[in-house]
Amino acid sequence: MFQHWLTRALACVLSLFLLASCASGDQQSQPKTTPVAAHPRSCVENFSPETDYFPAKSTVNFAKNFTLEYHNNYKVLRTLNPAGDGAADNGSAYVLVQCGTPPPKLEGPLAKAQVIDIPIRSLAALSTTFVAALALIDEVPALTGFSGLEYLTTPAAQKLADDGKIANIGTNGQVSVEEVVSLQPDVLLSDGNGASPGEIEKIAGAGVKVVLDTDWLEQSPLGRAEWVKFISTFFNKEAQANGRFDQIASRYSSLATQAQQTSSRPTVFTNTVFQGVWYMPGGNSYPAHLIKDAGGDYLWSDTPETGSLNLGLEAVMAKAQTAQTWLNAGITWKTTADALAEEPRYEAFQALQKGNVWNFGKKVNATGGDDFQATGAVRPDLVLADLVKILHPELVPAHELIWYQQVSVG
């Protein structure tokens, strides 16, 4: 994780050499590129407007809810609005300026954009998925604040929290404005749900840069994972993010191709009834995509919704009573007796009768931290491997289940 620290000083020396060469070289040549070191911050000392300070760039291929464009000394990052209609909200535009270089003039679509010097040295986060993404690019040490330390499941972050190096900036879904402001992170990364609009307004008003990361809105598993590129731009770690994501995408695609070639497609339904409502994922939702890619026949795949359908138990029973596989069942269930204790009518499902009920509670810590929701979001290749192991075990004989576990009969 820390192997690259020593080379950053060398990168800085190389930077200055290249800049000096630029001043004395052929003015008609192509723009030169200068590597920029990441955390701890390395800033440009002799700015040249002709120099491209970001030789490593990312392209967005799967994610639908953010865009990224590069200029010589700054990047424009936009979080698109939750409506998903492709329009950008000016309030969610970020101009990331290489430190030591001048920011661009903010006008037109960028008139309300936030300007953030990069690479950042610290950030606070409101979602465990952000922490898992930081681990992919070896930037967990930059995490100085998190809301709900007990829910951390990323080992490097847990260690830092145990050592008192990550401040607890919230509890029970509420953020402490005072804690965030006193911490003064370079960026507060929010998912739009972990703090109220009033809290965010107060934090931003105190000078903390608040960045909206809506990875959870993505319906494609690879689209959700690609948000590691979003986070990497704040550290100039695109090269590492690209490499990790390309590996994940390659593994995911290869496994999905294998699963599509199977002759059998087990019928699948998901979730449980909650306070009288069964929230069944729509046919274009994130879980539906995973089931399809794993070679399953999701019984609600013909519905157009990207969110959940609000169904009654009777409606689910009418369609799924004879289904072969029940996924994403009660996370605390150890046996089918636990399921029946919650709802005796579950006994009618043949999947429960035959013991083919699965939940993703294998890696939940003692305080309720759920690693499936954290690491699983950035490693869809491993989630898919778990699902293929359940639906088509012959395709991945050596794979050991990571998050999923079978609910025992009894």
Side-chain angles (χ1 to χ4, degrees), residues 2 29 37 170-171 203 273 282 324 392:
F2 299 99
S29 61
T171 56
I203 291 169
V273 70
Q324 295 165 276
H392 301 285

Side-chain angles (χ1 to χ4, degrees), residues 239-259:
Q240 189 164 348
N242 293 342
R244 293 304 304 274
F245 179 78
D246 287 347
Q247 292 174 345
I248 291 167
S250 177
R251 292 170 184 153
Y252 187 100
S253 299
S254 177
L255 193 52
T257 299
Q258 283 183 274

Side-chain angles (χ1 to χ4, degrees), residues 145-306:
F146 186 77
S147 180
L149 293 181
E150 66 273 20
Y151 298 116
L152 287 173
T153 60
T154 301
Q158 288 178 305
K159 177 64 167 59
L160 289 174
D162 291 342
D163 292 344
K165 295 181 180 179
I166 301 178
N168 194 8
I169 58 172
T171 56
N172 299 322
Q174 293 184 323
V175 173
S176 170
V177 174
E178 294 76 15
E179 287 288 342
V180 176
V181 172
S182 65
L183 193 62
Q184 283 294 303
D186 289 337
V187 163
L188 172 66
L189 203 57
S190 171
D191 61 357
N193 296 313
S196 69
E199 290 168 336
I200 292 297
E201 184 177 355
K202 290 178 181 177
I203 291 169
V208 176
K209 306 291 187 179
V210 180
V211 173
L212 183 64
D213 180 324
T214 56
D215 57 0
W216 57 277
L217 286 171
E218 299 289 342
Q219 305 310 318
S220 156
L222 289 177
R224 189 170 296 190
E226 197 171 27
W227 280 74
V228 66
K229 297 179 182 179
F230 179 95
I231 291 177
S232 76
T233 61
F234 293 91
F235 297 94
N236 288 333
K237 296 292 283 286
E238 284 94 332
Q240 189 164 348
N242 293 342
R244 293 304 304 274
F245 179 78
D246 287 347
Q247 292 174 345
I248 291 167
S250 177
R251 292 170 184 153
Y252 187 100
S253 299
S254 177
L255 193 52
T257 299
Q258 283 183 274
Q260 299 315 302
Q261 294 172 351
T262 58
S263 57
S264 66
R265 297 186 69 83
T267 49
V268 178
F269 70 108
T270 74
N271 295 359
T272 62
V273 70
F274 177 72
Q275 295 182 352
V277 179
W278 198 306
Y279 296 98
M280 189 68 69
N284 285 312
S285 66
Y286 180 82
H289 282 294
L290 278 166
I291 294 169
K292 176 183 176 181
D293 289 343
D297 178 12
Y298 180 51
L299 294 179
W300 277 266
S301 63
D302 60 345
T303 59
E305 286 79 6
T306 58

Side-chain angles (χ1 to χ4, degrees), residues 303-390:
T303 59
E305 286 79 6
T306 58
S308 294
L309 305 167
N310 299 344
L311 306 175
L313 176 59
E314 294 77 9
V316 174
M317 195 176 298
K319 194 166 189 175
Q321 186 171 353
T322 61
Q324 295 165 276
T325 309
W326 186 351
L327 292 176
N328 303 350
I331 197 169
T332 60
W333 296 356
K334 299 300 182 184
T335 69
T336 54
D338 296 330
L340 295 175
E342 286 189 13
E343 174 51 74
R345 289 176 290 177
Y346 288 154
E347 189 173 15
F349 291 105
Q350 289 187 17
L352 184 136
Q353 297 168 14
K354 296 180 179 179
N356 203 14
V357 181
W358 305 78
N359 65 36
F360 48 75
K362 190 174 181 180
K363 294 186 72 174
V364 176
N365 67 25
T367 53
D370 179 3
D371 190 61
F372 178 83
Q373 304 290 355
T375 307
V378 300
R379 292 302 307 271
D381 56 324
L382 297 180
V383 175
L384 188 63
D386 267 15
L387 292 175
V388 172
K389 183 72 173 184
I390 293 169

